[in-house]
Amino acid sequence: MEIVNLKITVLNFAEYNPRVISDLDFENLKKSLETYGFVQPVVINKDKTIIGGHQRVKAWQALGNEEVPCVIVDLDKEAEQKLNIALNKIQGDW
């Protein structure tokens, strides 16, 4: 798996992304990124559509950053949306 740094301006935010974030959670996300950095790459499709990492990209950009680390996959649009849902919904319990 190759990780590449890309300018945020070349990425396409998926209109179908189901994840929403409150203002408080967004501020906490920014604080976490300030503390630890951008340690989990964004997952994007070959056409540069973000599949996983929308909120982190927005928060990182809000902190004044211009690039993010990305993992690029090669999926058709149906598989892209299924992966987006999997990345947003499949979680363990606390």
Side-chain angles (χ1 to χ4, degrees), residues 37-57:
F38 207 102
V39 297
Q40 182 180 12
V42 178
V43 179
I44 64 170
N45 209 348
K46 63 185 178 238
D47 67 355
K48 297 187 178 73
T49 298
I50 299 172
I51 301 172
H54 292 80
Q55 304 307 330
R56 284 181 289 121
V57 171

Side-chain angles (χ1 to χ4, degrees), residues 19 86-94:
R19 177 78 57 149
L87 292 172
N88 280 294
K89 292 296 278 179
I90 299 173
Q91 302 175 18
D93 293 323
W94 288 90

Side-chain angles (χ1 to χ4, degrees), residues 13-27 29 51 53-56 58-59 84-85 87-89 91:
F13 288 82
E15 294 177 13
Y16 59 78
N17 184 51
R19 177 78 57 149
V20 294
I21 189 169
S22 70
D23 291 342
L24 177 60
D25 286 338
F26 188 75
E27 290 304 314
L29 178 56
I51 301 172
H54 292 80
Q55 304 307 330
R56 284 181 289 121
K58 289 177 185 176
N84 173 273
I85 291 169
L87 292 172
N88 280 294
K89 292 296 278 179
Q91 302 175 18

